[in-house]
Amino acid sequence: MTSRPPTGLPDAQTFLWGTATASYQVEGATTADGRGPSIWDTFAALPGTVRDGKDGSVACDSYHRLDEDLALLDRLGVDAYRFSVAWPRVVPQGVGNVEGRGLDYYDRVVDGLLERGITPMVTLYHWDLPQALESRGGWLNRDTAEAFADYAMVVTERLADRVGLWATHNEPWCAALLGYAAGVHAPGRTEGTRALVAAHHLNLGHALAAHRMREAGAGDVGIVHNLNTVWPERPEAADVADGVDAIRNRVWIDPLVDGAYDERLRAIAPELADPDVVREGDLDLIRGSADWIGVNYYTPDRPDVLDEGEVDAGAAAAYPGVEGLTFRPRGPLTDIGWETDDRALTELLVATHERTGLPLLVTENGAACVDAVADDCRVDDQDRITYLRDHLAALERAREQGADVRGYVCWTLLDNFEWAEGYTKTFGLVHIDPETQDRTPKASFDFYADHVARHR
Ligand code: IFM
C-alpha cells in the first residue's frame, strides 16, 4: 500500500488526460485465481454470438502482463487510467464468498499506477455480470441491484484508501438494451420493452452503491453513459427521435436529475409506472446520486422513419416500443460502421452539462480503424489520428462554450476483445500480436502522448 492520498475528481482548473480498458476486454485469465464465470464467458461460448467465434479467455492477457501495460501507460504520459473491476473475480458467485486473490490483482493495478503518478479511475461494472446472478434473472431481478451494491462495498473497502474516482456502471444502455432487448450482447436475451426494467435496476444498483460508497468515504462516485445527440433526419422522424432520446438518454438522466421517468418511457414500458417495479423511495434514492457524469462518445444518432417496405430489425430490437425506426448514418464511417462527426461531441457535452449541472469527464472516445500492420508490427493509423485530433478540438469547443469537462479518456490503450465483434475491430493506441501478445504502440499512441504532454 502506498501512502498517497486518494485522488478524486479534479477541480475545475485541472484537467485529466487518460486512457481506458475494461476487464473482460483485456484481462484474459478467466479461470485464474478463483474467478467465477461471467455472462460474457457463457454468451461468447454460444455459436454465432461473436463475429470471429472468439472470447475473452486470453484477450490481451493483461492479468499476467500488468507490468508491460503499466510501462505503456508511463510512456504515454497520461494522468489517469480508467479500468474496470471484474465482479466475478472478486465475488465469484455474485454474492457471498469474496475471492481475495481477485482483490489482490486490483491492489497491484492501483499500486502500480500510483507509483507512476497515474490516477486510478475505477469502473465497477463494465458488463461482466457473474453468471450465477444471471441464472437468477440478472438485471431483470431487483436482487441484482442489491448484490451490486454489496460487491461495490467489497471493492471500496479494499481500494478506497488509494482510489478516489469511481464509476459504478459503464454504458448501462448497452447492458440493458443490447443485453436484454436486442440480445446481441450478453446475456443475449430478447425481452423487448422489459429491458427497461433492467434499466431501472441498473439505475437503482448505481444509487444503492453510490450512497453506501460515499458514506464510507470512497470519494467521487459517478456513472458513465453513452448518451447521444439525436438528430432526426427529417421532420417526420420527430416522434421516433423522441423515442430514441427516451431510451438512449432520458431513462438514465431524468431519474438522476429529476427523480422521474417521463410519460413516453412509461408508455413504452408500463413497468416503469408499476409500484412493484419502481418502488417507493427508488427514485428519491437515484435523484442526485452521481457526483459526476462520464460521457462516452463515438458517433451521432440520426433516427429516421422506415420507408415503405424497409425493415430494420436491429433498430427495432435495440429500441423496443419505438415503431418504424431506422438510423441513417452519413459517411465517413469508421471500420465498425459508425459515422464520424465531431460536432456532436461538442453539442453533447454542452447539453449534458446544462441538463445535469454536474462535472463531466469524457470517459471514452476513439475510433475503430482498418489498421495495416507492417512487418515490424508498426501501425501508421492516420485515420485514428484524424479522428482523435478532430474530437480533441471538439472537446475544446465544448469547454469554451461553458461545459464543465474535467478530463478526456481515450478508448482504448490496447486492441482488445470488442464484444460481439470479437477481435475484428480495433480501437487501440497499441497493437497486440495475437500470437505472441507483443505490444507495439501505433502512430496514434505517439500523437496522443504528444497531445497530452503539450496540454498539461
Ligand atoms: O469497446 C467498447 C467499450 O467496452 C464500451 N464503449 C464502446 C467501446 C467501443 O465499442
Side-chain angles (χ1 to χ4, degrees), residues 17 342-343 345-346 349 365 385-401 408 447 451 455:
W17 295 102
D342 54 275
R343 292 169 307 169
L345 176 59
T346 307
L349 291 171
N365 176 240
I385 290 174
T386 302
Y387 181 98
L388 292 176
R389 184 180 286 125
D390 290 349
H391 286 76
L392 288 164
L395 160 74
E396 273 322 301
R397 291 197 298 277
R399 296 180 76 198
E400 282 158 20
Q401 290 172 34
Y408 173 92
F447 164 82
H451 183 91
H455 290 81

Side-chain angles (χ1 to χ4, degrees), residues 25 126-127 170-171 296 298 338 364 411 418-419 427:
Q25 294 182 272
H126 198 125
W127 311 347
N170 178 75
E171 299 180 2
N296 290 357
Y298 293 89
W338 296 350
E364 284 183 28
W411 185 265
E418 178 51 33
W419 309 111
F427 284 81

Side-chain angles (χ1 to χ4, degrees), residues 12 53 66 83 85 88 90 103 133 245 256 317 372 380 389 393-394 409 429 445:
L66 177 59
F83 64 96
V85 173
V90 170
L103 285 169
L133 294 184
D245 185 48
L256 211 54
D380 188 20
R389 184 180 286 125
V409 176
L429 298 171
F445 181 101

Side-chain angles (χ1 to χ4, degrees), residues 313-353:
Y319 289 90
V322 184
E323 304 301 327
L325 169 69
T326 191
F327 291 95
R328 303 206 194 276
R330 297 182 188 173
L333 307 180
T334 61
D335 190 36
I336 203 165
W338 296 350
E339 175 177 348
T340 302
D341 193 327
D342 54 275
R343 292 169 307 169
L345 176 59
T346 307
E347 185 180 311
L348 183 62
L349 291 171
V350 171
T352 307
H353 170 68

